[in-house]
Amino acid sequence: MYDRMYSIRMRAAEGGPHEQGGLHISGGETLVPKVLLEETTKNMLQKALNHSRGDADFIQVIVEKISSNEVVSLAPLSVTTEAVKSVEEGHHRSVEILQSLGVSNKAITNGMGLLKSTTNFRGAVVLSASSGERLDDRGLRGVRATRMGWSHEGYARWSALYAELASPRIAEAIVLATKVAHAPFMIAELCWSDDPEYITGYISSQQNGYVRITHLKEKGDFSGGRVFYVSDDVQMEHFIDFLEQTAVLLV
Ligand code: WAQ
Ligand code: MG
């Protein structure tokens, strides 16, 4: 049904590569047919070079071919936006939403604490939704969802429906949140950006969709990240394998 798809991943740092202590500047993931490969790779490079976090001196772009029969098609999560007036109100709403999804208070406190800290993980931290314990052993790298993107038609339809949201940042976050929400054992994701200029974050789940909260940190704050809350019966290898290996296309 689709052209042969390619996964493109980018990561950028300042002061050397991430694993040599460089400060993470920017990252991105997408899945495109061959006709869009060059243009998209160029756009990724531009994203790395023009980022408000800093001046990248290490940029890695990885391109991989995926066989089209391995691609899972998913509809994007539905989007709602909750306008809040302060970080305090935003955090309060986040707690309420996570509680309603069955995440324990301890797990909420631990997750919010991780995102508030200035330690920037390159990927997400996986927490037990009941104990709040960290379950992955990936250290500062965390777990990265990869091999995902919009189909051309899917993005055209979605961006017409949600014209006011159709920025590259939000479109990328919807892809990630949709793939992650469909992972086995997944309960909820909490996210806000580490970009100091961007203060809207979200809580996503298959149950509630993608719920944006307009104020989760103050401008100028470099904190941010992602937390994946999982159920107690999680099989970590299976969970991480889905996030890293299964190619997902939003349609
Ligand atoms: N897999 C897992 N975690 C990731 C990935 C990935 N592929 N990419 C980024 N992260 C983690 C990592 O810790 C980043 O520091 C953190 O997420 C934030 O990434 O208005 O822009 O790309 O609806 O800065 C959400 C709200 C914006 C959008 C999120 O995230 C809206 C954003 P950023
Ligand atoms: Mg970022």
Side-chain angles (χ1 to χ4, degrees), residues 24-29 47 51 53 79 81 120-125 140-146 148 165 167 169-174 176 180 189 191-195 198-202 210-213 224-228:
H24 176 71
I25 298 295
S26 164
E29 317 276 342
K47 181 185 168 191
H51 203 281
R53 271 178 70 81
V79 181
T81 301
N120 289 127
F121 294 88
R122 268 164 52 213
V125 172
L140 278 179
R141 182 181 183 276
V143 175
R144 291 188 62 87
T146 66
M148 58 203 183
L165 297 179
S167 73
R169 182 194 300 273
I170 299 175
E172 267 181 38
I174 300 277
L176 188 150
V180 170
E189 177 188 348
C191 165
W192 67 80
S193 180
D194 53 358
D195 183 335
Y198 203 81
I199 62 172
T200 296
Y202 67 84
Y210 180 91
V211 181
R212 308 174 67 235
I213 299 179
R226 282 183 159 93
V227 173
F228 298 164

Side-chain angles (χ1 to χ4, degrees), residues 181-249:
H182 287 80
F185 315 108
M186 185 67 192
I187 292 181
E189 177 188 348
L190 170 66
C191 165
W192 67 80
S193 180
D194 53 358
D195 183 335
E197 296 302 309
Y198 203 81
I199 62 172
T200 296
Y202 67 84
I203 293 160
S204 57
S205 60
Q206 266 199 70
Q207 194 177 317
N208 282 3
Y210 180 91
V211 181
R212 308 174 67 235
I213 299 179
T214 56
H215 208 156
L216 286 178
K217 70 176 193 183
E218 302 296 355
K219 277 212 169 177
D221 181 351
F222 278 73
S223 78
R226 282 183 159 93
V227 173
F228 298 164
Y229 288 108
V230 296
S231 58
D232 279 338
D233 59 343
V234 66
Q235 294 171 264
M236 281 300 283
E237 263 172 52
H238 188 185
F239 176 67
I240 290 176
D241 189 73
F242 177 88
L243 297 176
E244 293 180 342
Q245 305 298 334
T246 303
V248 166
L249 195 64

Side-chain angles (χ1 to χ4, degrees), residues 8-13 25-30 36-52 54-63 172:
I8 310 172
R9 323 204 272 276
M10 177 278 286
R11 64 188 179 112
I25 298 295
S26 164
E29 317 276 342
T30 192
L36 294 176
L37 190 52
E38 284 182 45
E39 183 192 334
T40 311
T41 305
K42 199 173 111 195
N43 291 343
M44 282 279 192
L45 196 56
Q46 255 155 23
K47 181 185 168 191
L49 289 169
N50 304 317
H51 203 281
S52 55
D55 184 13
D57 52 29
F58 169 85
I59 302 171
Q60 182 183 56
V61 180
I62 297 176
V63 176
E172 267 181 38

Side-chain angles (χ1 to χ4, degrees), residues 60-170:
Q60 182 183 56
V61 180
I62 297 176
V63 176
E64 283 175 331
K65 185 154 80 176
I66 288 168
S67 60
S68 46
N69 56 7
E70 288 169 4
V71 178
V72 173
S73 297
L74 295 175
L77 294 177
S78 63
V79 181
T80 51
T81 301
E82 296 205 12
V84 293
K85 293 191 187 71
S86 63
V87 172
E88 196 185 19
E89 196 190 331
H91 286 186
H92 184 74
R93 270 306 285 150
S94 304
V95 170
E96 287 178 341
I97 294 167
L98 288 168
Q99 282 174 338
S100 78
L101 291 165
V103 181
S104 76
N105 289 332
K106 174 90 177 125
I108 294 171
T109 304
N110 290 1
M112 301 277 282
L114 279 166
L115 263 59
K116 283 182 209 166
S117 87
T118 44
T119 307
N120 289 127
F121 294 88
R122 268 164 52 213
V125 172
V126 182
L127 296 187
S128 156
S130 57
S131 72
E133 218 183 311
R134 184 169 182 188
L135 299 178
D136 67 280
D137 59 2
R138 295 288 177 88
L140 278 179
R141 182 181 183 276
V143 175
R144 291 188 62 87
T146 66
R147 300 186 168 91
M148 58 203 183
W150 284 99
S151 70
H152 185 74
E153 309 74 42
Y155 186 71
R157 195 180 311 124
W158 181 83
S159 58
L161 200 59
Y162 295 105
E164 74 286 3
L165 297 179
S167 73
R169 182 194 300 273
I170 299 175

